[in-house]
Amino acid sequence: MPKKIKGSEAKLSKYGVFFVLPFIVVYLFFQMWPTIYTILLAFTDLTGFETKLHFIGLTNFFNSTKNEAGEVVRQGLIFDKNFWGAVVNTFIMWGFNFIPQLGIALLFAIWFTDPRMHIKAKNGFRALFYMPNLLTAASVAILFRSLFGYPIGPVNQFFNKLGIYATVIKDGVEVKEAIQFFRSVAWSRGIVAFIQWWMWCGQTLIMLMAGITSISPTLYESAVMDGANQRQQTVYITIPLLRPMMLFILITSLIGGMQLFEIPFLLTDMRGGPDFKIRTMVLYMYNTAFQGKNRYGYAAAIALGVFVITMICAYFVNNLMKDRTDIKIQKALEKAKKEAAAAAAASAQ
């Protein structure tokens, strides 16, 4: 039988529920209910100023109709080229941000935690790297829009002094002028990826440093006694033992990258230009819900699509980076048992 709580423990338990109750109420009202309502909206055709929900099943996700010519027209999120284009854009900008972010942060984390480097003002460097993370994405986007502005932004002025111009053809004549960064797909994607890297590299650095400092120093001492150099210690001790931390960083960065919105929204025309090449999934959802025909039901379907894609990617990343040491040991033991059984059967014959 479970032990009955008596006296002061019962009072503390009662008051504990009282103090936790505000959080539960806020969570249910601001997170749980919006989530449930979004799922409901995904199966409706709610648009504009309508308030009554008309359920239409899976039409927002998959629908086949015939046009006047009798041809089958496939509609819905699964066949939406704009949505899948936004998915590709999101992964491109997240990849160009995360790969250098993890690599550079890992390099500096190893340097800052290595006592043989004798780096002065380590705490100052940590604070300097982390400071961009304290800024809001909206303010950073507006700042970079001004820096790369056309034609007299600071970056263009600096390039002009170096003699760097864009060559354009006007009336059949080549003309040199300032670079229009936000009319170039490559520049626009690069700026978005750089902003993301600049803002989050510091947090990645701090987390990797925490992971490295948690590794037992005796492992490095034993490696030194065995003649391992610094590179071998990093490859065979530091990086393998950082696997759980890097998995956590990768999944959290993936979730954040799939929700990229403010920077592409504020950098250009609020629709992911030029040519919709920096339109992310969440930006496409915003454009669908709050611009044009205000298709709230289809925007909710896009939100569910973002959720499913994120969960699938997180699942595959988790399986890919899972430590399979225990599995290998189990397979080795099973193989050894089979070999031992085979040997025993052979000797009995």
Side-chain angles (χ1 to χ4, degrees):
M1 295 180 62
K3 184 179 178 181
K4 189 175 181 180
I5 301 176
K6 298 181 180 179
S8 60
E9 291 187 21
K11 292 181 180 179
L12 289 174
S13 177
K14 180 177 66 176
Y15 290 129
V17 172
F18 175 76
F19 283 112
V20 171
L21 187 61
F23 167 78
I24 296 175
V25 172
V26 170
Y27 174 79
L28 292 176
F29 187 76
F30 289 102
Q31 288 188 307
M32 194 68 177
W33 168 240
T35 302
I36 296 173
Y37 188 66
T38 300
I39 296 173
L40 292 176
L41 279 181
F43 300 94
T44 69
D45 60 352
L46 187 68
T47 58
F49 294 99
E50 295 180 5
T51 57
K52 189 176 181 180
L53 300 182
H54 301 282
F55 288 93
I56 57 174
L58 297 174
T59 302
N60 286 329
F61 299 94
F62 176 84
N63 184 29
S64 297
T65 58
K66 291 185 178 181
N67 58 18
E68 296 178 355
E71 299 173 344
V72 177
V73 179
R74 299 186 182 277
Q75 299 173 337
L77 188 67
I78 297 176
F79 306 105
D80 189 348
K81 295 181 180 179
N82 294 328
F83 173 72
W84 292 111
V87 172
V88 173
N89 296 336
T90 304
F91 274 99
I92 288 175
M93 289 183 286
W94 173 73
F96 278 111
N97 146 52
F98 180 74
I99 294 173
Q101 177 190 142
L102 183 62
I104 295 174
L106 180 60
L107 178 63
F108 278 98
I110 293 172
W111 284 353
F112 289 159
T113 55
D114 191 345
R116 294 170 295 182
M117 297 294 291
H118 301 292
I119 298 176
K120 297 181 180 180
K122 290 183 181 179
N123 293 331
F125 280 114
R126 294 176 188 173
L128 187 65
F129 270 92
Y130 190 76
M131 280 179 63
N133 190 248
L134 302 177
L135 305 174
T136 61
S139 60
V140 173
I142 294 173
L143 170 64
F144 274 78
R145 184 180 175 86
S146 300
L147 290 175
F148 288 88
Y150 172 85
I152 55 172
V155 175
N156 259 321
Q157 293 183 19
F158 177 72
F159 280 3
N160 293 344
K161 289 183 179 180
L162 296 177
I164 301 174
Y165 296 90
T167 302
V168 296
I169 299 176
K170 293 183 178 181
D171 299 327
V173 180
E174 287 190 358
V175 179
K176 290 185 177 180
E177 62 175 21
I179 303 173
Q180 301 188 46
F181 293 101
F182 298 115
R183 289 193 177 184
S184 167
V185 174
W187 273 110
S188 299
R189 285 177 170 174
I191 291 171
V192 172
F194 176 80
I195 293 174
Q196 287 291 105
W197 170 84
W198 181 66
M199 289 186 63
W200 295 100
C201 187
Q203 178 172 338
T204 304
L205 170 65
I206 298 299
M207 296 177 70
L208 289 175
M209 289 179 64
I212 293 175
T213 53
S214 66
I215 298 174
S216 176
T218 56
L219 296 174
Y220 295 101
E221 294 171 1
S222 302
V224 170
M225 293 181 64
D226 291 336
N229 55 32
Q230 187 174 1
R231 183 189 66 81
Q232 291 171 328
Q233 294 175 39
T234 301
V235 172
Y236 296 107
I237 298 177
T238 305
I239 294 179
L241 294 180
L242 277 179
R243 182 190 294 267
M245 180 61 73
M246 287 195 288
L247 174 62
F248 173 77
I249 293 171
L250 178 55
I251 291 180
T252 53
S253 176
L254 174 67
I255 295 172
M258 297 302 102
Q259 299 175 1
L260 182 60
F261 170 72
E262 298 97 331
I263 296 171
F265 179 75
L266 294 172
L267 273 182
T268 54
D269 59 354
M270 300 184 184
R271 292 181 177 274
D275 196 24
F276 303 112
K277 292 300 184 181
I278 63 169
R279 179 168 63 184
T280 61
M281 293 184 285
V282 178
L283 180 53
Y284 182 49
M285 178 186 68
Y286 176 87
N287 296 148
T288 303
F290 303 110
Q291 294 175 345
K293 296 181 180 179
N294 301 113
R295 301 170 61 193
Y296 300 118
Y298 192 68
I302 295 173
L304 282 186
V306 174
F307 172 76
V308 171
I309 290 173
T310 304
M311 298 308 321
I312 291 173
C313 291
Y315 173 78
F316 279 110
V317 167
N318 182 55
N319 283 347
L320 184 65
M321 295 192 64
K322 187 184 295 183
D323 189 359
R324 305 183 185 277
T325 304
D326 295 339
I327 299 175
K328 292 179 180 178
I329 293 174
Q330 184 67 26
K331 288 183 178 179
L333 290 174
E334 291 177 358
K335 184 178 180 181
K337 288 180 180 179
K338 290 180 180 179
E339 291 176 354
S347 60
Q349 292 177 358

